[in-house]
Amino acid sequence: MTLTRKLILAFMALAGAALVTALLLTNLAVEAAAKEKIASDLERTLEAFQQLARASQERIRDVAEARTLDRSFKEMSLSVNSVDAEAGLGDASSETEGIESARAIIDSADTEAFGWSRGGPVPWAFFNASGRLVYTRADPDQVGDGPLDIPLLATALQHGPTSVLWSPAQLRALPFVFVPREALREGDLLLVHAQPAFGSRRDKVGVVLSGQWVGDVLLGSPAAPRAPGPHMGDTRARFAVRTEDGALASQLAVGALLDGEGVRSGQAHDVYLGDTHYLVRGGELSGVDGTRIGQVFVLRDFDAEINPILQRFQRWLVPTAVGVALLALAAAVFMARSMASPLVQLEAAAGRVRLGDLSVEVPVRSTDEVGRVAQSFNEMVSGLRQRDQIKGLFKRYLAPQVVDELLKHPEKAAPGGERKMLTVLFSDLVGFTSMSEQMSPEALVAILNTYFEQATGVLTKHGATLDKFIGDAIMCFWNAPLPQEDHAARACLTALDLVAVVERLAPGFEARGLPRLDCRIGINTGQGVAGNIGSSAAQDYTVIGDTVNLASRLEGAAKVYGTRTLVAEDTLTAARGVVLARELDLLRVKGKQQPVRVFELVGAAGTPPPPHLARFAEGLALYRARRFAEARAAFLASPEDGPSGRFAARCEALLAAPPPEDWDGVFILDSK
């Protein structure tokens, strides 16, 4: 795809993103405005519902008050309080006689005088001034044995008419039958009114309880408020009433969505019922005496009201968006062609660089953005030329950190070196010469590459700098060019992993009828010089010094002890306990006067020591004490251990030709 087309697509993408953003923001603005308007409507609807609730309770109060003033209730009131002229005083027997007389009056009265609800006559009950049940319409035969502890009765007797909301669970828990169990409505609430009954001297002689189901008088009433404003679809407000104990009566299955603190009074909230989005506002529901008896919630279907508005908005937005898109396309084509024309030359130059031609240079003809891009391109090509030169010098490095360091600091590529503490490792394959006699050069190279592939992976893992491959041998070092505080530990762990590589590969070679491969590794730590050694035409980043020479000698000396690894004491000390090792000998290699204490690596720290280590240490101590016979016996106790066999043979030679009195236990290695 050409640059012109990409620019056109970029401009069109920006224009499309702008249109989509504008559409989304407009939708959000419309929804926010609609939500604010509906929230305001909800507040007015809630006020209308509260007024309806007050009016409904006032009607219930007026009916109850009128009934307590008719002749039947007057006579009943006098009967239950006949002992002291309406005062309600007297003993229990007289009170019982009064209640029986009152019930006779009630039996002859109109017991359905409080009206009818959707399910039948309105429930009602009468209590005397002491709170004793006189009559309940739900169970006319039930009479109270004594005063009932019902707060509603006490409130009505002390303060006057009052109201409360009772759930079916509360009705079942009452100490008298107010609503028959078969008439209870699950999911509905009973609005209960307590009306004091007065005697001829306006003394309170009893309390009448009457109830109306909320579903009848509020939620199912034709007078229930509707959503104000124009109606599009079903936008009627829905209502829910909740008691103080959490029981709920609702026109929708809102359930737990209105429980707890999720919907607070005085605020509009979002509620989702399935796929329908409702706005809900809550407020207090007061009784006839003005006290709080519960909460009321009004809900509006937000989707039903906002969708028609959005549809009208989208009908005019689509043609507008198409026109804007066409205009943006024309502008994009013009701008893309203007910008792409000066860049054609840069494109051609970049193609030449891609093919490897770093001699290209783009002429800078302006000082604007395109001119600055051309200048930056030329600087980039110059930098690539310099990096290619550095990478050409160090293309044989294995460790990526070496190349990265020299790219950051090209001055380090100059000939010369610096003295520093180094850890050097030499590794060689055992049996490779025998293998090379049985194979063609091509097959031998393939096997060698297989080994080097895994070996170099180990070196990279532990941050080694590969110096060179010497046939089947490897030379590498640590702490140069980058500092590595744990360089000795890295070298020891590398040696263990190289042994593991040989052990993995050896069975495969044996299966092909080839000699079993093994390895020898020598490691030493000490001062050395690391740097670029060579001429201006050919250089090699390497390390030199006596430390390097001793590491090479130790690799060869491993053969003398029958071990795979031979590590100098300085390396083991610097490794700080990351590996398990055993002391083998005091060794003086050819060309050095100072003996070196050498060790064999057994495994990583924490590796359980094999049993023969303790026996070898015992034999070594006897050996150095010139007790050669006892030492030989200790060494022969571990026939499977190579170093033990070597020392047993050495003890036999010393028994045959005892050493001089000044013998210091140092083993002298004359060969390399």
Side-chain angles (χ1 to χ4, degrees):
M1 184 180 294
T2 63
L3 177 61
T4 302
R5 291 183 179 178
K6 289 181 179 180
L7 290 173
I8 292 173
L9 290 177
F11 285 129
M12 291 305 299
L14 289 175
L19 286 174
V20 171
T21 302
L23 176 61
L24 291 177
L25 292 177
T26 305
N27 280 355
L28 291 175
V30 171
E31 290 185 7
K35 185 175 290 188
E36 184 178 355
K37 175 64 169 58
I38 294 174
S40 176
D41 293 344
L42 287 175
E43 183 178 8
R44 294 196 296 272
T45 304
L46 183 62
E47 292 175 357
F49 187 91
Q50 291 170 327
Q51 293 174 2
L52 171 65
R54 285 194 294 271
S56 298
Q57 293 185 73
E58 289 171 357
R59 286 197 300 271
I60 296 173
R61 181 198 61 191
D62 294 343
V63 171
E65 185 178 13
R67 295 306 300 170
T68 58
L69 296 177
D70 68 10
R71 182 180 59 80
S72 298
F73 275 90
K74 287 289 187 180
E75 294 175 359
M76 177 180 64
S77 301
L78 292 173
S79 297
V80 298
N81 299 275
S82 60
V83 176
D84 190 14
E86 303 176 356
L89 303 175
D91 56 24
S93 61
S94 61
E95 185 180 25
T96 302
E97 292 175 359
I99 288 176
E100 292 176 352
S101 175
R103 288 175 59 79
I105 297 173
I106 292 173
D107 289 340
S108 62
D110 180 9
T111 60
E112 299 176 358
F114 286 93
W116 288 71
S117 67
R118 187 175 56 189
V122 170
W124 67 277
F126 180 70
F127 296 81
N128 67 7
S130 65
R132 185 175 177 183
L133 177 65
V134 176
Y135 174 83
T136 173
R137 192 189 179 286
D139 188 2
D141 296 331
Q142 185 179 9
V143 179
D145 295 331
L148 299 180
D149 183 16
I150 301 177
L152 184 64
L153 301 179
T155 302
L157 288 171
Q158 294 175 11
H159 304 291
T162 186
S163 303
V164 73
L165 284 172
W166 281 347
S167 66
Q170 291 173 303
L171 290 170
R172 282 191 291 268
L174 290 174
F176 72 100
V177 179
F178 191 46
V179 178
R181 288 185 177 272
E182 64 273 10
L184 291 175
R185 299 184 189 177
E186 298 299 333
D188 205 347
L189 303 174
L190 192 68
L191 179 60
V192 181
H193 177 76
Q195 178 68 35
F198 297 91
S200 59
R201 294 199 298 265
R202 300 299 296 174
D203 295 324
K204 296 175 183 176
V205 296
V207 176
V208 175
L209 298 186
S210 60
Q212 290 277 1
W213 290 102
V214 168
D216 292 340
V217 296
L218 295 178
L219 302 183
S221 171
R226 293 175 62 85
H231 296 285
M232 294 168 291
D234 185 11
T235 58
R236 184 169 63 88
R238 315 290 188 186
F239 300 92
V241 178
R242 185 171 65 188
T243 63
E244 296 300 327
D245 65 351
L248 192 70
S250 174
Q251 293 175 324
L252 293 170
V254 290
L257 294 174
L258 299 180
D259 288 348
E261 297 298 327
V263 178
R264 295 184 294 275
S265 299
Q267 298 180 14
H269 297 270
D270 296 292
V271 171
Y272 291 89
L273 303 179
D275 296 330
T276 305
H277 176 194
Y278 286 90
L279 283 183
V280 57
R281 190 182 185 98
E284 291 188 359
L285 188 63
S286 302
V288 70
D289 56 350
T291 61
R292 172 180 166 133
I293 62 174
Q295 288 180 283
V296 58
F297 302 95
V298 55
L299 301 93
R300 288 269 293 277
D301 187 341
F302 183 73
D303 292 335
E305 300 191 34
I306 193 62
N307 286 341
I309 299 175
L310 293 178
Q311 290 171 1
R312 290 199 303 272
F313 165 72
Q314 291 167 0
R315 279 197 294 270
W316 68 262
L317 179 65
V318 172
T320 304
V322 172
V324 172
L326 293 175
L327 182 61
L329 177 60
V333 171
F334 174 77
M335 295 179 65
R337 288 180 176 176
S338 299
M339 294 180 63
S341 179
L343 297 176
V344 172
Q345 192 173 16
L346 275 175
E347 180 186 9
R352 293 172 60 186
V353 171
R354 184 176 66 251
L355 296 175
D357 182 5
L358 297 181
S359 63
V360 64
E361 185 173 353
V362 176
V364 180
R365 295 191 174 91
S366 64
T367 58
D368 59 6
E369 288 81 357
V370 176
R372 290 195 291 271
V373 169
Q375 181 64 36
S376 298
F377 178 84
N378 291 335
E379 294 174 358
M380 178 194 71
V381 174
S382 176
L384 289 175
R385 284 196 296 268
Q386 183 180 13
R387 285 177 176 249
D388 267 11
Q389 292 170 357
I390 295 175
K391 287 184 178 180
L393 287 174
F394 298 100
K395 62 183 178 181
R396 287 162 41 187
Y397 289 147
L398 170 68
Q401 66 269 24
V402 178
V403 179
D404 293 339
E405 179 71 7
L406 293 172
L407 287 176
K408 293 178 183 177
H409 304 284
E411 68 277 4
K412 292 186 178 182
E418 57 179 330
R419 186 177 183 83
K420 60 192 322 183
M421 184 66 67
L422 301 168
T423 296
V424 184
L425 179 149
F426 280 86
S427 173
D428 193 14
L429 290 178
V430 178
F432 187 75
T433 302
S434 300
M435 181 183 293
S436 63
E437 295 175 354
Q438 305 176 30
M439 303 181 65
S440 65
E442 293 79 9
L444 191 64
V445 169
I447 289 178
L448 197 59
N449 285 341
T450 300
Y451 164 69
F452 282 148
E453 182 71 25
Q454 297 195 30
T456 53
V458 171
L459 302 185
T460 302
K461 171 185 173 183
H462 295 289
T465 300
L466 177 63
D467 189 300
K468 58 180 68 72
F469 294 121
I470 312 170
D472 59 321
I474 297 174
M475 174 186 172
C476 59
F477 52 89
W478 286 263
N479 208 33
L482 299 181
Q484 297 165 311
E485 293 184 2
D486 58 342
H487 52 91
R490 290 170 179 258
C492 292
L493 295 175
T494 299
L496 293 174
D497 285 351
L498 288 175
V499 170
V501 167
V502 172
E503 289 181 344
R504 285 197 306 269
L505 295 176
F509 294 154
E510 286 185 312
R512 297 166 58 180
L514 300 173
R516 181 178 181 85
L517 281 183
D518 210 337
C519 65
R520 287 194 300 267
I521 299 172
I523 306 175
N524 186 32
T525 299
Q527 291 289 331
V529 175
N532 293 292
I533 309 300
S535 65
S536 59
Q539 298 179 23
D540 188 17
Y541 189 86
T542 187
V543 292
I544 59 174
D546 191 58
T547 297
V548 181
N549 297 334
L550 180 56
S552 177
R553 296 289 191 274
L554 293 180
E555 180 269 316
K559 180 179 181 180
V560 175
Y561 294 95
T563 65
R564 290 170 168 169
T565 57
L566 203 60
V567 181
E569 182 179 17
D570 289 343
T571 299
L572 202 62
T573 301
R576 299 176 183 176
V578 300
V579 291
L580 174 66
R582 66 163 164 179
E583 183 180 352
L584 288 179
D585 205 357
L586 281 169
L587 175 66
R588 182 181 293 117
V589 300
K590 185 176 182 180
K592 288 184 64 69
Q593 295 301 317
Q594 187 68 28
V596 179
R597 195 177 301 272
V598 292
F599 296 79
E600 177 194 14
L601 297 179
V602 177
T607 302
H612 66 262
L613 291 190
R615 295 193 292 268
F616 182 86
E618 178 186 356
L620 185 62
L622 294 170
Y623 169 80
R624 289 175 176 170
R626 302 175 65 100
R627 297 161 62 181
F628 301 120
E630 298 173 65
R632 181 181 61 178
F635 290 133
L636 290 176
S638 304
E640 76 284 356
D641 181 39
S644 295
R646 301 296 197 281
F647 270 86
R650 192 185 296 180
C651 289
E652 289 181 2
L654 292 173
L655 285 172
E661 291 298 326
D662 60 348
W663 180 74
D664 56 5
V666 174
F667 181 74
I668 301 174
L669 184 63
D670 294 328
S671 63
K672 294 185 179 181

